[in-house]
Amino acid sequence: MEPGIEKALAITPASSARERTIDITTTGARTGRPRRIEVWFYRVDGQIYLSTTPASRSWYANIVANPDFVFHLKNGVRADLHAVGTPVNDPDQREAVFSSIIADLNQPRNPAGIGQPVEPLEEWMERSPLISVEFPEGDTK
């Protein structure tokens, strides 16, 4: 993977909202048409995840139905990466990832400027989508 892409993916809790913001293009679960939206991504223990505060999201349903999607980097480097998303359903893994995300979002520095505290872990566990993202080697668009 190119160094600029690696750097853009290497976010930390100190990363700004801008650095976390990407677009994704999914294939509609019902329509089969491309759908591009802006989302945040997270990095926990070196793994990339997509999630959001507790709510139902169409992008999640789209990735569950069609795991291949495009991960569009737009901060520091512009790149369209072929990605494969896998829903995270294991309760222990969900708890570990959400605990890290919540700690990140509730940090005193609050680089994203979001309202704190965010919803409690129990809410995230019950109502938040969680997708693990993989980038097939050398497969960028």
Side-chain angles (χ1 to χ4, degrees):
M1 193 173 281
E2 295 177 26
I5 292 172
E6 285 184 10
K7 183 178 178 185
L9 292 173
I11 62 169
T12 69
S15 297
S16 68
R18 183 175 176 203
E19 291 168 315
R20 301 164 188 267
T21 304
I22 60 165
D23 287 351
I24 59 173
T25 299
T26 61
T27 301
R30 290 181 296 165
T31 67
R33 293 188 294 202
R35 300 284 185 215
R36 185 169 177 154
I37 62 163
E38 186 173 82
V39 298
W40 277 9
F41 75 98
Y42 300 91
R43 186 178 180 101
V44 176
D45 294 330
Q47 177 62 45
I48 302 293
Y49 293 94
L50 299 178
S51 190
T52 184
T53 55
S56 180
R57 303 288 184 205
S58 59
W59 61 260
Y60 178 78
N62 293 347
I63 292 174
V64 169
N66 302 291
D68 290 295
F69 68 101
V70 181
F71 191 102
H72 305 278
L73 291 171
K74 55 188 190 175
N75 181 55
V77 65
R78 296 217 181 261
D80 300 329
L81 307 176
H82 171 235
V84 178
T86 303
V88 177
N89 296 316
D90 175 73
D92 293 334
Q93 185 181 4
R94 288 176 61 83
E95 183 174 353
V97 172
F98 285 141
S99 293
S100 180
I101 290 172
I102 290 167
D104 185 354
L105 295 175
N106 280 332
Q107 66 176 301
R109 183 171 172 273
N110 196 6
I114 61 168
Q116 294 179 323
V118 299
E119 291 85 347
L121 176 61
E122 295 76 22
E123 289 288 318
W124 286 74
M125 292 288 290
E126 289 179 25
R127 299 183 31 241
S128 289
L130 184 59
I131 293 285
S132 175
V133 179
E134 296 294 333
F135 303 102
E137 271 291 325
D139 194 4
T140 59
K141 292 185 175 190

